[in-house]
Amino acid sequence: MKNYYILFCIVCFGFSQFSFAQNDSKPKAEALTVIDSLYKEDQFYLSMTYNVLANLPSGVEQTGFSLGLHAGFIKDMPINKQRNVAIGIGLGYSYNSFNQNLGIIKGDDDVTNFVVLDDTYDFDYSKNNFYLHMVELPIEFRWRTSTATDYRFWRVYTGFKLGYVFYNISNFQGEVGDVRYTNIDGFNDLQYGLTLSVGYNTWNFYVYYALNSIFEDDVKTLLTQESVDMNAIKFGLIFYLL
């Protein structure tokens, strides 16, 4: 009986060792990394620009910092297998201020006059600007060095942007009083131009060059009857988010 007991213990011990060896020999499951083969880039954008007026009429000049703020969504649509070339189409909002010395004044007949505020007018003023609120449609051709796992990359995005001015404001503050107008006649409702974004990772340089005038073709300065063909150039930074 004693011999059977010893034999039973030996068999149990051997079986337990065999089971342990079998379990230990099984390969450990490795963590799986999921790679999105249909990844997209840069769906949202935020931008801040310095707005410059070009093609100024005689006597007109900018008088301070003119700010632009822009934000929106762009649908990224890769067009090659590597997904580093894409077309982007989006929708955004743009706020633009322009500080300058072209006064916008309405006469008694409610006709809008555009007056160059120079030495001809003997009064002081502290502020003269206009603001444009726009809905924008950006269209871009996009090239980048991104991959499905690399989130820091070079990008060059170039394209065209169409904007609709849905609200404009003119603001004047001076010794003759404070004058504020909204939705003034004479502004081009449609604004359009070329865009370029170049950069790496977070920091990207942005430029917009308007192809048409801010004002309509028949807008002229009051005294000289010179056409006001000013167009906007915007320089700044743009930030992209997924």
Side-chain angles (χ1 to χ4, degrees), residues 34-49:
V34 178
I35 298 177
D36 183 8
S37 61
L38 299 178
Y39 76 96
K40 297 177 182 179
E41 298 287 359
D42 301 340
Q43 303 277 27
F44 294 91
Y45 67 89
L46 296 171
S47 177
M48 182 172 65
T49 59

Side-chain angles (χ1 to χ4, degrees), residues 105-114 181 185 222:
I105 302 171
K106 286 190 176 182
D108 296 335
D109 52 1
D110 205 35
V111 173
T112 302
N113 298 304
F114 295 83
Y181 301 117
D185 295 333
L222 181 62

Side-chain angles (χ1 to χ4, degrees), residues 63-214:
T63 56
F65 184 82
S66 299
L67 176 68
L69 298 173
H70 324 277
F73 172 82
I74 294 182
K75 177 67 174 177
D76 187 79
M77 297 177 288
I79 57 176
N80 66 334
K81 185 177 180 180
Q82 292 78 17
R83 305 184 74 79
N84 65 336
V85 178
I87 299 295
I89 300 177
L91 184 66
Y93 163 77
S94 178
Y95 161 84
N96 299 275
S97 67
F98 296 93
N99 296 281
Q100 31 65 52
N101 65 334
L102 182 67
I104 299 176
I105 302 171
K106 286 190 176 182
D108 296 335
D109 52 1
D110 205 35
V111 173
T112 302
N113 298 304
F114 295 83
V115 181
V116 180
L117 303 176
D118 55 14
D119 295 336
T120 304
Y121 299 90
D122 188 22
F123 59 84
D124 294 327
Y125 65 94
S126 59
K127 179 181 291 186
N128 183 74
N129 50 30
F130 60 83
Y131 307 92
L132 302 179
H133 296 267
M134 306 169 64
V135 175
E136 295 186 319
L137 174 66
I139 302 173
E140 296 180 342
F141 177 79
R142 300 175 144 200
W143 174 88
R144 62 239 177 171
T145 60
S146 65
T147 67
T149 57
D150 186 6
Y151 302 105
R152 296 187 177 187
F153 51 86
W154 288 96
R155 60 171 64 80
V156 178
Y157 296 166
T158 183
F160 177 84
K161 184 176 283 186
L162 176 67
Y164 174 74
V165 180
F166 65 88
Y167 194 63
N168 66 63
I169 303 170
S170 171
N171 189 31
F172 172 89
Q173 295 179 9
E175 64 177 80
V176 297
D178 296 348
V179 181
R180 181 182 176 91
Y181 301 117
T182 59
N183 291 330
I184 309 150
D185 295 333
F187 284 93
N188 266 327
D189 290 336
L190 290 179
Q191 309 270 324
Y192 52 88
L194 303 177
T195 63
L196 176 66
S197 303
V198 179
Y200 176 77
N201 194 23
T202 303
W203 300 97
N204 300 275
F205 176 75
Y206 173 81
V207 61
Y208 166 89
Y209 183 85
L211 295 177
N212 70 326
S213 173
I214 293 175

